[in-house]
Amino acid sequence: MTASTICIVITIVAYMIFMLLIGVYFSNKNKNSDDYYLGGRSLGPIVTAMSAEASDMSSWLLMGLPGLAFIEGLSDPAWTAIGLGIGTYVNWLVVAKRLRQYSHLAGNSITIPGFFKNRYHDEKGLLSGISALIILVFFVPYTASGFAACGKLFSKLFDVDYMIVMLVSAVAIVAYTMMGGFLAASTTDLIQSIIMTIALVIVMIFGVGVAGGLDQVLSNARAIPGYISLTEMGDVNTKISTGVSFLDVVTKMAWGLGYFGMPHILLRFMAIRDEKEIRVSRRIATVWVFISMAAAIFIGMIAYAMSQAGEISHFKDTSSAENSIIEIASLLSKNGVIAALAAGLILSGILACTMSTSDSQLLAAASSFSENILGDVFHAQMSERKKVTLARLTVVVIAVIGVFLARDPNGSVFKIVSFAWAGFGAAFGPLMLLSLYWRRTTKAGAIAGMISGGAMVFIWKYGVARLGGAFQVYELLPAFLVSLAVILVVSLLTPEPETAVLEEFDQVASMK
């Protein structure tokens, strides 16, 4: 093992130990299930903002987005980033404050399924049961994709067995999440967002220098037709550009609709200690999201310039180009101890992207099972201490299933990310918006909308989209619209909500 590799290992191990210590620190602060799943609604504005966005990005920020920009240039990743940036801002503007108020008033809800149950006074727990199942269906493989990303990263970097490093990564994530719950996950997410930011800065500065300067980076980009255009899409292999249609733009920007239904992000809105601080959180979150995604896209272009200079590999497809940041870190590590430690920080940043998403997903899936399926549907009676114990056990069980799904390093589990994003966005997004802002929404409409939105994601992805042409639009968009329409129609065709539900809605609507 070389000196540079030892420095990288030391940095990553130190990072992992720090995350575990945070879990230990918060382990004694969870007195009840409210603390464990929602942190007692005590998050400050900075932690709320950065933990929400860190849990959102996953390894897509440091690997997926640069890889796409490397191969295709600006257009595809830029329109996706614009859609996500707008979605982030609108979600904070429209959903955050109202959800914080409503979830507290409606039975002090501590999970998203619990909020739907309390919002519609669903005593039978049908709403929470269905929404909890949807969360489990999409989040368990989503979590597995995070474990797989960690395994692939370290097996490639250190040339060790994939299964071993995947298991080590999973154990570390599970350990601090199981011990510290929501507060540990949110605090580590804040730290991980800082590490991601530092990693982006280091890669940009080093990459530009190695590529021959900013002018050389831009010169290489201009040499490929359509590479830095928003209306054309380049190709580093064929050097031929293709036009970007309006449908292409809509498809990419449709990613922003997913934010309205992401349980792990919505929980941060519910957990902020003071709704008056949401404005600060919104500004921090929006600025960070736009800047970090712009930096990630620029890194893809820098990596292409570095490949032209012969410093890193010239990748042939998006999947392999996702490894460009790993090669940049490896190249940096050869420039002395300080550089090797910086490289370790970059690789920790990739790990942070993955861990910050996986911990939040584990908690959301665990709470759905223990609180909403066992509690709301089967009416299991437990003390607060037993609830917290069960919650921790549920985290472990879900993680074990995730490890099983991620056991094949050549599997396609990572591709489930975009599909799961569509699933949550379509099943929960329209319902969340109408639950917060349309007084006439009924329980029947809510159930029908959730089911139709989730089902349409499958129908469109594996059926309609195969017709080709305009039907190849990202499944989130048609499924979101179907869910929205179904909620509206069914709600209007069924009796209006009971008086208590309407009065509760009016009380929230009157809040400043």
Side-chain angles (χ1 to χ4, degrees), residues 2 6 22 24 37 46 52-53 55 94-95 118 171 190 206 213 228 251 276 290 297 373 387 427 439 455 462 477 481:
T2 64
I6 292 173
I22 291 174
V24 172
Y37 286 132
I46 296 177
E53 302 318 318
S55 65
V94 174
V95 175
N118 294 334
V171 168
L190 169 63
F206 175 72
I228 55 175
T251 296
K276 296 177 182 177
F290 273 110
I297 293 171
I373 293 180
K387 283 185 178 180
R439 190 173 185 265
Y462 298 107
L477 181 58
L481 295 175

Side-chain angles (χ1 to χ4, degrees), residues 273-479:
R273 67 189 176 201
D274 189 342
E275 63 201 44
K276 296 177 182 177
E277 296 176 327
I278 287 176
R279 178 178 295 182
V280 176
S281 296
R282 180 176 71 239
R283 291 170 178 171
I284 294 171
T286 305
V287 170
W288 186 82
V289 163
F290 273 110
I291 292 177
S292 63
M293 288 193 294
I297 293 171
F298 185 48
I299 284 172
M301 296 181 174
I302 292 171
Y304 172 69
M306 293 176 70
S307 72
Q308 293 301 100
E311 299 293 343
I312 64 172
S313 303
H314 176 77
F315 302 101
K316 297 295 185 181
D317 55 62
T318 302
S319 178
S320 60
E322 290 179 355
N323 294 316
S324 59
I325 197 166
I326 299 176
E327 289 204 13
I328 293 173
S330 297
L331 181 64
L332 173 61
S333 69
K334 299 175 182 178
N335 292 276
V337 174
I338 301 299
L341 293 173
L345 195 62
I346 292 171
L347 296 169
S348 295
I350 300 174
L351 183 60
C353 287
T354 304
M355 291 176 71
S356 61
T357 303
S358 295
D359 57 20
S360 299
Q361 292 166 347
L362 276 171
L363 276 176
S367 65
S368 296
F369 177 76
S370 59
E371 284 287 319
N372 304 121
I373 293 180
L374 292 183
D376 296 340
V377 178
F378 292 102
H379 305 291
Q381 299 297 319
M382 294 174 286
S383 65
E384 287 297 332
R385 185 171 182 175
K386 286 185 177 180
K387 283 185 178 180
V388 173
T389 300
L390 177 62
R392 287 173 169 153
L393 289 174
T394 307
V395 168
V396 174
V397 172
I398 290 173
V400 169
I401 298 172
V403 166
F404 177 78
L405 294 176
R407 68 191 184 283
D408 181 8
N410 299 313
S412 60
V413 68
F414 191 71
K415 295 179 181 179
I416 201 68
V417 172
S418 66
F419 185 67
W421 185 269
F424 286 126
F428 294 152
L431 176 57
M432 179 58 68
L433 292 172
L434 292 178
S435 294
L436 296 175
Y437 286 99
W438 192 37
R439 190 173 185 265
R440 185 62 174 77
T441 313
T442 65
K443 181 172 69 175
I447 293 172
M450 260 198 313
I451 295 174
S452 62
M456 183 53 67
V457 170
F458 285 92
I459 294 170
W460 196 277
K461 175 74 173 180
Y462 298 107
V464 179
R466 295 182 179 180
L467 297 175
F471 294 108
Q472 289 184 305
V473 66
Y474 182 31
E475 58 268 18
L476 170 56
L477 181 58

Side-chain angles (χ1 to χ4, degrees), residues 451-505:
I451 295 174
S452 62
M456 183 53 67
V457 170
F458 285 92
I459 294 170
W460 196 277
K461 175 74 173 180
Y462 298 107
V464 179
R466 295 182 179 180
L467 297 175
F471 294 108
Q472 289 184 305
V473 66
Y474 182 31
E475 58 268 18
L476 170 56
L477 181 58
F480 187 97
L481 295 175
V482 166
S483 177
L484 182 65
V486 168
I487 296 172
L488 292 171
V489 171
V490 174
S491 293
L492 290 173
L493 293 176
T494 51
E496 69 174 21
E498 60 186 73
T499 302
V501 173
L502 296 176
E503 289 178 346
E504 198 169 72
F505 180 92

Side-chain angles (χ1 to χ4, degrees), residues 155-178:
S155 62
K156 177 179 177 59
L157 184 64
F158 301 119
D159 193 26
V160 293
D161 183 74
Y162 163 83
M163 194 67 184
I164 293 175
V165 288
M166 188 270 287
L167 283 171
V168 171
S169 301
V171 168
I173 295 170
V174 169
Y176 75 75
T177 304
M178 181 184 69

Side-chain angles (χ1 to χ4, degrees), residues 156-210:
K156 177 179 177 59
L157 184 64
F158 301 119
D159 193 26
V160 293
D161 183 74
Y162 163 83
M163 194 67 184
I164 293 175
V165 288
M166 188 270 287
L167 283 171
V168 171
S169 301
V171 168
I173 295 170
V174 169
Y176 75 75
T177 304
M178 181 184 69
M179 288 187 293
F182 187 83
L183 285 174
S186 297
T187 303
T188 53
D189 288 351
L190 169 63
I191 296 168
Q192 287 158 350
S193 69
I194 295 171
I195 293 174
M196 292 180 213
T197 304
I198 294 172
L200 288 168
V201 172
I202 293 173
V203 171
M204 283 194 295
I205 294 174
F206 175 72
V208 168
V210 171

